[in-house]
Amino acid sequence: NAHSDICTDCGFVFINPRMTAEGYADFYKRWYRPLVSAYGNKQLDLPFLQQEARHYAEQVCQVIDQYACHPSRRKAIDVGGSTGDFAAELSKRWGYECTVLDPCPDELSCAKTSGATVVAGLVEDFDTLKRFDLISVLQTIDHVLDPVGTLAKCRRWISPHGILVIDFVDYRV
């Protein structure tokens, strides 16, 4: 019996009660894409996702380029990176070595073809001692089980000169 709640301090919308890690894994494996497809009245299969994601990746990179001073050692992680199209754009544009973290194995199979390192699972279950020059959490922060914990991990993972890019879908649109 889940529903959406909104934080009256910051406006963050979240699912309440939060799902368990097992519930989330099952939801993304079996229900998420069909549910979003039905809601948007369009089939969100992998080819469509990749087409949309490529265009979106180009737009985000144009914004990043206004603020980024790309280091010589370019490592990136895309949390909730889906098919890896944003990671592929980072690699193509600026030579980033990318890791894509996502709970959906089917989408990660696409990400792997672009040369990214892929990690299947939830951000809450993943940790590393690596530092990243760019961390992206694109249209994902509202999906994680622990938003505050996820941001704390990003803080630990980011290099001193790194960039954290977060965006979200405006559910009101």
Side-chain angles (χ1 to χ4, degrees), residues 114-136:
S114 71
T117 299
V118 299
V119 179
L122 303 172
V123 66
E124 291 84 0
D125 297 328
F126 176 75
D127 210 352
T128 183
L129 296 175
K130 290 181 183 178
R131 296 293 170 262
F132 299 95
D133 306 300
L134 192 145
I135 299 174
S136 54

Side-chain angles (χ1 to χ4, degrees), residues 29-163:
K29 183 177 181 181
R30 298 185 334 162
W31 303 108
Y32 178 67
R33 292 294 174 208
L35 184 63
V36 173
S37 293
Y39 179 75
N41 200 27
K42 55 186 164 190
Q43 183 60 37
L44 296 181
D45 57 10
L46 287 177
F48 179 82
L49 280 175
Q50 287 184 291
Q51 176 186 351
E52 291 287 310
R54 276 187 218 106
H55 177 67
Y56 188 67
E58 290 170 358
Q59 290 177 317
V60 173
C61 283
Q62 288 173 359
V63 172
I64 289 172
D65 204 29
Q66 297 174 45
Y67 302 99
C69 179
H70 303 288
S72 58
R73 162 190 80 88
R74 296 176 177 139
K75 295 193 181 292
I77 185 167
D78 189 7
V79 177
S82 185
T83 55
D85 292 284
F86 183 68
E89 187 67 22
L90 289 174
S91 182
K92 179 179 90 176
R93 236 178 236 249
W94 299 302
Y96 277 88
E97 178 185 311
C98 297
T99 300
V100 176
L101 172 63
D102 197 90
C104 184
D106 290 342
E107 293 176 21
L108 283 176
S109 65
C110 296
K112 195 170 194 170
T113 64
S114 71
T117 299
V118 299
V119 179
L122 303 172
V123 66
E124 291 84 0
D125 297 328
F126 176 75
D127 210 352
T128 183
L129 296 175
K130 290 181 183 178
R131 296 293 170 262
F132 299 95
D133 306 300
L134 192 145
I135 299 174
S136 54
V137 187
L138 302 178
Q139 299 181 355
T140 298
I141 195 68
D142 55 322
H143 291 254
V144 300
L145 294 170
D146 179 10
V148 173
T150 297
L151 294 174
K153 280 185 177 189
C154 290
R155 175 73 175 109
R156 284 195 317 272
W157 296 342
I158 201 158
S159 67
H161 55 273
I163 294 175

